[in-house]
Every structure is written in structure tokens, then in C-alpha cells.
Amino acid sequence: MFDFLQITLSGREPLEHSGSNFNLRWRWLARGVLQLEPLHGYRMNVVLSAGIHGNETAPIELLAALVSDLLHGKRRLKVRLLVIFGNPMAMVSGERYNQIDLNRLFSRHYDHFPDCIETARAEQLELLVRDFYDQSNEGERLHFDLHTAIRESHHQRFGLLPHTDKGLYGRSLYSRRMLDWLHHSGIEALVINQAPSGTFSYFTSQHCHADSCTLELGKARPFGHNDLNQFALINQGLISLITGINLLPYAAEPIKVYRVTQELIKITEQFRLNFSESVKNFTRFSAGDVLARDGEISYQVQQTEEWILFPNASVRPGLRAGLMLVQVPTDSLFG
Ligand SMILES: [Zn+2]
């Protein structure tokens, strides 16, 4: 039996491209892309991805262990499953990406950039994921894209929900089942995006009609140096999801919900944040606080309270240097 992570890092192809055990059939579709199907029925089509940013190792290790258990028959698979290691070349070099952040390139955003490893990979992953979902007419479609954050955070684990216009048609904006699962898997907060984007989860939500979420699961460390205990709940969650056996504890704390209220766009090289670069994600600011200056422009807190997410003044001009959030009631998730 091959080791999916090792073979992905090596760049080699496995000797066999497909196989089966008493429980499932597997197919190696491309470097870092493995499809697994139970032999006897399923209710869900699940895509799990990690390593879209190559240096975010802990979720890669979690998925590698999960795949190994499945291939060795230690767990019974109850869903159709596509496991993706997003950016193998960046994983090998231990970097976020080689030339362009892969998580900005989906939904054909790759068309607007010069050809490189990442543009080709975004196009390939879109095709493979579309095919995976299209091959099944039945069952829910889910996608969790697993990440770790660069900075410390007041919420250790949180989810980013892609913008959706589903609610316009009288349906719930986001699936209650998915939200329940996130809550019981230790996700402390959710952030609702207000606009379309080039992320992998926006692509699967908008173009494949999946219930999707980008998960930020803690801090990134090099391979082998992760404290996997920190990821125990999400690991339990993933096992519950794919085996259909509920292993999750009751979650007492309600999940906090935020929505993006403004973006800090770096327009020129003069852009400066008005607070320490090391500030934690979800740090709170009050009305009137100056957040950043860019020449003549100043960004201020407009609501009574706003929370900062992903501040980064070193992005290229034209890109987003931070998001400001407001808290909203949980009902906002359901339109
Ligand atoms: Zn990431």
C-alpha cells in the first residue's frame, strides 16, 4: 500500500493507480489527489483539502493519517471522498506558494495571471473537483479546505464562509448540518465573506453547489513539529464525517459569527498599519480608531466595535492588507 503523503512529496506516481480493500475502492487521480469510494453506498460527497498553502503542515498530516487508516482498512468509509494536497511543490519547499498564492486563483482567476505552477494547479483542481461532484447525482456535497494561520488569534479555530447568494432564492444561506458539524468540531467562530473571491471554497460553493468552508485551525509549524493534540477535535470531526459514526462531544459555548464590514486595501507603498504587526486576529477596535494610513487616505473604525482579521502590510499594492469584521447574530447564517 502506498503512502499518499510521501508519494505526493516525492513527485513520483504510485505503481498502481487504483485498488480496493474490503470496504472501499481508491483511485489516484493526479499528484496529491486521491479519490476513495465505499463499496456499499454513501450519502455524501466530501472534498477535504489541505496544503493549498504549502507550509500549513498540520492539516496535511491529519489528512495523511486519515487516508492511511482508510487504505489499511482501519476505518470504514461511508462517504465518497476526494482528498487533495493542494500545492505539492510549495509543500516540498516549505513555503506558502512558489509564485502566486493558489488560494486567489480559483473560479478562473488564473486566467488573469502569467502561467506558472499555481495557475496550472488551480485549473487542474477545478476540473478534478467538478468531475468528482458531477459523477454523483445523489447526496449532499461538502468541501472543507483546511488551513493554519500565520499569526496568533483570539479564536484558536475559526471558519471562513464563502459569499453566497443562495438566500436570494428563499433558501438558507448556509447548511445547518454543516454549521452544527463545525460547532461540535471545535470551531469557535465563523466569518461570513461579503464578496466573491478566488478561494478554493468559494469555487466549490458557487460553481459546484457544495456547502463549503475554509477552516483556520491554529498556528503553522514545520512537518513533524505540530502539536496534533491541538487538532484533536477537528480530527474527531473529520473521522465522524467520513465514517458516519458520531464521536463528537456536546459543544457548550455558542459559536460567534462575524461578517466582513470593510477591507483595508493597500494602494501605494506608503501604506502603514497604525498598530503593531504582531496584533492577534480578532483584536477589537472602537469607533474612530485609525487602523491604517496610505498617503492622504486613512482607514478608521466605522462601527461601534470592529475586529481585525489577517492584517498584513507587506502585500503588494492593490491587494488586501486586512479585513475588518463586525459581530452579527447567528441567525444571519440562515438568511
Ligand atoms: Zn492558508
Side-chain angles (χ1 to χ4, degrees):
M1 193 61 67
F2 70 93
D3 179 323
F4 182 45
L5 176 56
Q6 286 313 318
I7 204 111
T8 300
L9 292 173
S10 76
R12 284 180 286 119
E13 295 191 7
L15 295 174
E16 309 273 329
H17 282 198
S18 62
S20 60
N21 64 23
F22 68 95
N23 166 233
L24 59 82
R25 184 182 302 121
W26 59 266
R27 273 202 305 143
W28 182 89
L29 301 180
R31 187 175 182 188
V33 185
L34 188 70
Q35 179 171 329
L36 302 115
E37 288 186 304
L39 297 180
H40 308 291
Y42 59 86
R43 285 183 317 171
M44 279 192 272
N45 302 280
V46 179
V47 175
L48 298 177
S49 51
I52 290 289
H53 293 137
N55 58 352
E56 298 178 358
T57 50
I60 298 172
E61 291 174 347
L62 285 188
L63 291 190
L66 210 60
V67 166
S68 170
D69 284 355
L70 287 168
L71 292 178
H72 288 97
K74 289 188 195 158
R75 298 199 188 277
R76 277 173 185 265
L77 184 65
K78 287 287 174 67
V79 300
R80 280 182 81 234
L81 180 64
L82 190 69
V83 178
I84 297 174
F85 293 143
N87 195 337
M89 299 290 272
M91 283 162 58
V92 170
S93 53
E95 291 181 283
R96 188 172 171 85
Y97 53 84
N98 286 291
Q99 292 186 48
I100 307 172
D101 184 342
L102 180 56
N103 215 22
R104 294 182 191 275
L105 295 180
F106 290 92
S107 302
R108 301 198 69 99
H109 281 61
Y110 51 78
D111 281 342
H112 308 305
F113 291 86
D115 289 348
C116 67
I117 291 170
E118 277 94 8
T119 55
R121 186 63 168 172
E123 187 169 9
Q124 179 188 40
L125 291 181
E126 284 191 3
L127 279 172
L128 292 171
V129 169
R130 255 188 222 276
D131 277 355
F132 171 76
Y133 284 127
D134 286 349
Q135 283 159 16
S136 167
N137 306 317
E138 51 185 308
E140 288 169 69
R141 297 174 170 197
L142 276 173
H143 173 214
F144 295 120
D145 187 29
L146 313 179
H147 291 249
T148 47
I150 304 164
R151 64 181 56 245
E152 302 286 346
S153 175
H154 287 287
H155 296 302
Q156 273 297 312
R157 291 169 293 274
F158 57 95
L160 302 163
L161 293 165
H163 166 76
T164 175
D165 46 23
K166 271 185 195 164
L168 295 178
Y169 310 106
R171 285 181 294 172
S172 178
L173 282 174
Y174 299 101
S175 138
R176 279 182 194 270
R177 256 179 81 136
M178 174 177 75
L179 297 166
D180 274 350
W181 181 86
L182 291 168
H183 187 197
H184 295 285
S185 301
I187 301 300
E188 298 162 22
L190 293 168
V191 177
I192 306 172
N193 274 297
Q194 296 298 94
S197 73
T199 63
F200 198 11
S201 63
Y202 178 76
F203 168 75
T204 51
S205 163
Q206 183 69 16
H207 300 286
C208 306
H209 311 292
D211 293 310
S212 312
C213 190
T214 305
L215 298 180
E216 297 285 353
L217 299 171
K219 259 198 104 182
R221 312 222 185 279
F223 276 120
H225 292 84
N226 289 299
D227 172 12
L228 290 180
N229 281 331
Q230 201 191 322
F231 302 90
L233 260 184
I234 191 73
N235 193 36
Q236 291 282 72
L238 294 173
I239 293 169
S240 299
L241 182 70
I242 64 166
T243 61
I245 301 166
N246 187 10
L247 304 165
L248 288 169
Y250 173 74
E253 279 279 306
I255 205 161
K256 288 210 166 69
V257 184
Y258 299 83
R259 129 181 115 63
V260 175
T261 182
Q262 57 171 328
E263 294 194 330
L264 309 179
I265 305 292
K266 175 172 175 174
I267 299 166
T268 72
E269 286 295 353
Q270 293 172 50
F271 183 94
R272 296 285 177 276
L273 291 170
N274 200 32
F275 47 82
S276 156
E277 270 282 328
S278 62
V279 73
K280 289 185 181 182
N281 278 329
F282 297 97
T283 294
R284 190 175 60 191
F285 292 88
S286 307
D289 285 352
V290 175
L291 299 162
R293 289 205 171 82
D294 197 345
E296 299 291 289
I297 303 164
S298 89
Y299 290 97
Q300 283 190 322
V301 174
Q302 289 161 2
Q303 314 293 326
T304 315
E305 293 177 315
E306 292 182 17
W307 286 260
I308 184 95
L309 189 60
F310 304 139
N312 180 5
S314 56
V315 295
R316 284 201 311 274
L319 293 182
R320 191 185 79 195
L323 289 174
M324 298 309 296
L325 312 176
V326 286
Q327 266 195 37
V328 292
T330 315
D331 284 355
S332 322
L333 296 167
F334 307 116

